[in-house]
Amino acid sequence: MSEKVLNKDIFERDRAGEPVSIDDPEYPKLKEMMLRAAELTTRLNTSFHDEDEIRSLFSELIGSEVDKSSRVTPPFYTDFGRNIKVGKNVFINHACTFMDRGGITIEDDTKIGPKANLITSNHPLDPAHRKELISTPIWIKRNVWIGAGATILPGVTIGENSVVAAAAVVTQNVPPNTVVAGVPAKVIKTL
């Protein structure tokens, strides 16, 4: 391995899609961030907050200011928080789960239905490596609508203006201007 690769910290390795084990000597750094996310989501989810308070807590969770045009309806769940990027005029309905260690980017004008799941991490199939997670980013392009209970899996990009039907499980990239549905999701209509 090159010296540059050896000098990557656990956050860089995790975001780069390298396997990260709970036995990694730097894992406590990840665990600390996950505990921070748990504390912030507990504050967000267990008390009433007006829209400004929700936006403030969500901004603290993701580590960047959320535009006033965007809205999150608690409860909201995440394992990490710091790898979520939210554009303008985004709506995230209640009870969504974002496992964002691989990174989740949500572009402007996107609507995400209740109980949607955006999952960027997965375990290797090899039983000997199940203590590891491999994280790859999810990218939701502009003006997407994700229906209630849909699940977007690691590494998927949802193309601009597309619709993911309720309860769909998206395992592959979705072309722009299409509607996908089913398990696994398939294109059912062009817009």
Side-chain angles (χ1 to χ4, degrees), residues 88-122:
K88 294 178 180 176
N89 198 33
V90 169
F91 176 66
I92 301 169
N93 212 324
H94 73 277
C96 289
T97 299
F98 289 12
M99 296 185 73
D100 66 292
R101 282 182 39 190
I104 296 172
T105 300
I106 303 167
E107 292 187 2
D108 297 348
D109 303 312
T110 291
K111 310 295 178 245
I112 300 177
K115 298 185 180 181
N117 302 290
L118 280 63
I119 312 297
T120 67
S121 298
N122 206 353

Side-chain angles (χ1 to χ4, degrees), residues 10 13 19-25 27 30 101 131-133:
I10 195 163
R13 290 184 284 128
V20 173
S21 173
I22 60 171
D23 295 329
D24 189 293
Y27 188 79
L30 272 179
R101 282 182 39 190
K131 288 184 177 182
E132 298 173 359
L133 274 180

